[in-house]
Amino acid sequence: MRILHTSDWHIGRTFHGHSTLAALAEVLDALVVQVREHAVDVVIVAGDVFDSATPGASAYTLLDDALLALHETGATVVMTSGNHDSAARLGFHSRLLRDGIHVLTDPLAIATPVTVHDEHGPVHFFGIPYLEPAIVRRHWIDDERSLRTQAQVMQHAMDLVREGMAANAGRSVAVAHCFAAGVDATVGLEREVRQGGLDMVPLAGFDGPDYVALGHIHGRQQLSDRVRYSGAPLHYSFGEQHKQRGSWLVDLDAEGLASIEWLDLPIPRALVTLTGSLDDILSDENARHADDWVCAVYTDAVPQHEPMRRLRERFPFCALVQHQPEGADAADERSYTQRLRAAVSDVDRIEAFLEHVRAGQGATEREAELIREVLDDRVRTEALV
């Protein structure tokens, strides 16, 4: 049996205020082509189908188009809900879908698999929706006191999967959306499903199935041969710009896991971070990035006038501009209030203000001369009053 493992579509997410629907549609079209070309039997979507619990009509349209196209390839689709999804809404949507498309959002049905047959017999797919401890522990009354963290509810869910495996002979695949121990998250991107280290699910918790398809982390990760994250099919942050986009192509034979291959997906628009003075960033040397998403980090000592307007004249898809003066890391770590309190003269107070608004950069030699001239003029004026 051939399985394509994907996750974290985040339909409806914006990229610095720009819609990603058209780009995601392009990528999912390419994914459908891969499903057809590689004769995929089952497509897994491991949570965060939507980016919001209340997706707009256009997001539903894109999902319906993608599912219809996958269905037409002859593949079975197994989809679970993630922490961005509304399990209730996604679950309701599942009742309107045709045979061969399974949306698994009910924690009470974790032990009941979706079964797909090949020439070697059945393969059982166990779907674990995102489990919020405060919500799901009421379903498991006997364990209510102990189910306080993500790790604990996931352990219980995997116990249910293993019970389902015992009751259903054959090969098995688990699909889950969680934060597993040992992964490298994109800072500031994946919505936290942990508190400290308590909510990280240990790798041993996934023992049992022939393959475990995980979602939540946006970059591909291999925790073991049979436990992996596929990552998101589209870049949703400049922090992801160097991470590949794609899916895992998983083959099961009569004994279980046989082979795994990575399939790259196209990147509709490349992401690049340009760092230097604003003039350097705007130089002809960077003209090749005119069609890329650009994050501009300019290092001039002082904020420049209308940097975004100037950048977009060169880079129409400049999405983010940041001012990070050179040497800012070595700036005085005292707060602005502390520097003001330590100031003795007006010159000191002005210097403290300049350092505050310039990320640690004080007055230049010429500016210091002007400051002294202005202060001297004030003293002379006050003397005449």
Side-chain angles (χ1 to χ4, degrees):
M1 182 170 293
R2 178 158 284 181
I3 301 163
L4 190 74
H5 168 197
T6 178
S7 73
D8 294 273
W9 290 4
H10 286 280
I11 303 174
R13 192 183 188 108
T14 59
F15 179 77
H16 296 281
H18 301 270
S19 172
T20 62
L21 284 174
L24 182 57
E26 178 182 339
V27 172
L28 293 181
D29 284 346
L31 185 144
V32 171
V33 171
Q34 291 179 344
V35 169
R36 183 176 291 109
E37 289 181 345
H38 292 273
V40 171
D41 300 297
V42 178
V43 176
I44 290 172
V45 187
D48 279 355
V49 179
F50 292 118
D51 189 61
S52 166
T54 56
S58 57
Y60 276 108
T61 299
L62 178 54
L63 176 61
D64 288 346
D65 289 345
L67 292 179
L68 177 61
L70 289 172
H71 183 269
E72 289 177 347
T73 68
T76 297
V77 178
V78 177
M79 177 182 293
T80 61
S81 52
N83 56 304
H84 281 252
D85 297 310
S86 163
R89 285 187 173 86
L90 199 60
F92 174 79
H93 188 70
S94 70
R95 292 180 235 173
L96 308 178
L97 300 173
R98 59 197 69 203
D99 291 341
I101 300 177
H102 305 271
V103 182
L104 309 179
T105 62
D106 184 0
L108 296 179
I110 289 174
T112 303
V114 170
T115 300
V116 183
H117 291 80
D118 66 6
E119 66 272 24
H120 302 299
V123 177
H124 307 293
F125 292 84
F126 295 90
I128 304 174
Y130 169 68
L131 302 172
E132 179 61 52
I135 295 174
V136 301
R137 64 172 171 256
R138 70 175 185 268
H139 297 308
W140 301 311
I141 301 299
D142 291 343
D143 296 311
E144 183 173 356
R145 290 185 180 180
S146 62
L147 300 180
R148 296 291 176 181
T149 69
Q150 186 76 21
Q152 289 167 344
V153 295
M154 276 298 301
Q155 182 61 57
H156 184 88
M158 284 302 300
D159 287 343
L160 294 175
V161 168
R162 286 183 278 266
E163 289 177 13
M165 291 171 57
N168 296 274
R171 296 155 293 165
S172 59
V173 174
V175 184
H177 193 90
C178 63
F179 203 117
V183 300
D184 177 24
T186 302
V187 176
L189 183 64
E190 289 97 357
R191 188 176 298 170
E192 290 292 336
V193 293
R194 57 179 175 156
Q195 297 173 352
L198 295 179
D199 285 345
M200 287 188 179
V201 182
L203 181 59
F206 300 110
D207 287 349
D210 295 289
Y211 184 74
V212 179
L214 297 179
H216 181 57
I217 302 301
H218 282 202
R220 73 176 189 181
Q221 303 270 336
Q222 178 180 338
L223 305 185
S224 73
D225 285 344
R226 58 178 193 82
V227 182
R228 302 180 185 229
Y229 287 93
S230 64
L234 195 66
H235 288 121
Y236 289 112
S237 163
F238 281 103
E240 299 179 302
Q241 66 189 65
H242 301 300
K243 296 182 178 181
Q244 292 175 281
R245 304 289 87 170
S247 307
W248 292 113
L249 188 66
V250 181
D251 281 329
L252 301 182
D253 60 17
E255 302 302 320
L257 184 62
S259 65
I260 299 179
E261 176 186 356
W262 176 257
L263 298 182
D264 283 313
L265 282 168
I267 298 173
R269 191 179 304 285
L271 282 70
V272 63
T273 298
L274 303 177
T275 303
S277 70
L278 189 59
D279 287 342
D280 288 343
I281 292 174
L282 293 170
S283 68
D284 291 340
E285 181 181 348
N286 290 320
R288 65 186 185 278
H289 297 298
D291 292 326
D292 297 340
W293 287 117
V294 170
C295 170
V297 181
Y298 73 94
T299 59
D300 301 73
V302 298
Q304 299 297 293
H305 182 62
E306 296 185 329
M308 181 60 87
R309 179 189 62 77
R310 295 169 61 187
L311 285 161
R312 283 186 172 168
E313 288 176 357
R314 167 71 76 174
F315 311 108
F317 301 99
C318 182
L320 184 63
V321 58
Q322 298 175 344
H323 180 217
Q324 294 182 9
E326 288 183 345
D329 292 342
D332 192 338
E333 294 182 356
R334 294 177 299 170
S335 70
Y336 179 44
T337 300
Q338 290 172 326
R339 288 199 294 268
L340 281 179
R341 287 174 178 170
V344 175
S345 65
D346 287 340
V347 172
D348 294 336
R349 295 183 185 94
I350 294 172
E351 183 73 6
F353 172 76
L354 291 175
E355 291 177 353
H356 176 63
V357 298
R358 292 177 172 179
Q361 298 295 316
T364 65
E365 184 176 343
R366 176 56 183 153
E367 288 171 340
E369 292 177 2
L370 292 172
I371 290 168
R372 285 192 295 270
E373 290 175 8
V374 170
L375 291 176
D376 288 346
D377 286 343
R378 190 193 69 176
V379 171
R380 286 191 291 268
T381 301
E382 290 176 346
L384 296 174
V385 175

